[in-house]
Amino acid sequence: MLTSKILFAHNPDLSNIIISKTDSGQIILQINSSLTAFQQEVIYLNGEGAYQSPEDFQNLVLNHFNATFSIIVNERDTLQFKNPKVFLGHETKLVAEIIGLPETVTTIHLKNELFKDVHNNQSVIIFLLDNFPKKKYTLNKTNTHQIVIELKDGKWNELEIENTDSYFKYLEYAAIPAIVLLLFYVVRKRKNISA
């Protein structure tokens, strides 16, 4: 346990996501990673000098979290995060209460792009809730930083995620020559009209 704590505290490409329940019944989300990982992502997105104080930094982290982290259960219920807070340290934590978790959960779609710009990043997801998967799942570039799992016949199964990202990249490359040809045609047409 101590080794894994030291590893997460100093390795910017590793993080973990823990979803658990308190004694009082609150469902808690906790994201742990090194301070360096959070800093790299904030600076990458906002530039050097984007924050002047720890509070500025925490606000930038929370804004990024709200834009890049989501959990959808049963294909329709988007969970909300109440009172998210960032606790700074070598191992930095983002903690929030999860609101809206239904009694019965049959599918989970979890997406975490909080560290997607950190080279070789991986997030390990651990569910510490009754009737949730006991298996650890890893998010990385290969699975586009997301998992979709489904409860079937009493077992949790990981479903394939369509990688629409790659389709858009090819579309982009195909669109560039088409736009150039269209501009060439318009310019040529105008020259012919004015001549």
Side-chain angles (χ1 to χ4, degrees), residues 24 36 51 58 60 72 86 111-112 117 130 134 141 151-152 168 173 182 186-188:
S24 62
T36 305
Y51 55 91
Q58 289 166 318
L60 289 171
I72 300 169
V86 177
K111 186 170 192 173
N112 175 28
D117 301 304
D130 293 338
K134 301 303 174 216
K141 188 176 181 179
L151 182 63
K152 199 165 194 174
F168 290 121
Y173 293 129
L182 182 64
V186 169
V187 168
R188 196 163 183 203

Side-chain angles (χ1 to χ4, degrees), residues 7-195:
L7 191 64
F8 279 112
H10 296 286
N11 199 339
D13 58 353
L14 295 177
S15 61
N16 67 33
I17 301 164
I18 301 168
I19 298 175
S20 60
K21 192 174 199 175
T22 65
D23 292 338
S24 62
Q26 291 176 303
I27 308 295
I28 300 296
L29 166 72
Q30 182 174 314
I31 302 172
N32 306 304
S33 192
S34 69
L35 178 59
T36 305
F38 283 97
Q39 288 173 322
Q40 282 180 6
E41 193 68 21
V42 164
I43 290 169
Y44 178 79
L45 293 169
N46 302 287
E48 290 283 344
Y51 55 91
Q52 304 302 316
S53 68
E55 292 76 22
D56 291 346
F57 176 73
Q58 289 166 318
N59 287 332
L60 289 171
V61 169
L62 291 174
N63 289 340
H64 183 49
F65 165 73
N66 288 326
T68 60
F69 191 94
S70 65
I71 304 173
I72 300 169
V73 295
N74 301 338
E75 298 180 10
R76 67 182 179 281
D77 299 320
T78 302
L79 303 184
Q80 303 300 312
F81 306 105
K82 182 179 175 185
N83 298 327
K85 291 186 173 56
V86 177
F87 299 93
L88 300 175
H90 284 298
E91 181 187 44
T92 296
K93 300 173 192 294
L94 190 153
V95 179
E97 182 182 355
I98 296 176
I99 303 294
L101 186 67
E103 285 283 319
T104 305
V105 174
T106 55
T107 62
I108 302 168
H109 180 182
L110 190 148
K111 186 170 192 173
N112 175 28
E113 295 183 323
L114 199 54
F115 305 106
K116 80 172 188 170
D117 301 304
V118 175
H119 182 68
N120 278 341
N121 77 85
Q122 295 182 44
S123 288
V124 175
I125 303 167
I126 303 163
F127 295 99
L128 300 176
L129 298 172
D130 293 338
N131 303 321
F132 273 65
K134 301 303 174 216
K135 178 183 172 190
K136 294 178 183 177
Y137 295 94
T138 302
L139 305 180
N140 53 36
K141 188 176 181 179
T142 306
N143 58 19
T144 61
H145 311 283
Q146 59 186 320
I147 59 161
V148 177
I149 50 179
E150 175 182 47
L151 182 63
K152 199 165 194 174
D153 300 325
K155 292 184 178 179
W156 286 94
N157 302 306
E158 196 167 349
L159 303 178
E160 281 290 315
I161 298 170
E162 245 185 73
N163 189 352
T164 55
D165 201 25
S166 60
Y167 300 130
F168 290 121
K169 284 181 185 170
Y170 293 124
L171 185 62
E172 233 175 70
Y173 293 129
I176 292 171
I179 292 169
V180 169
L181 285 172
L182 182 64
L183 286 173
F184 180 73
Y185 175 77
V186 169
V187 168
R188 196 163 183 203
K189 189 96 167 151
R190 281 192 178 174
K191 281 185 180 178
N192 287 342
I193 291 172
S194 62

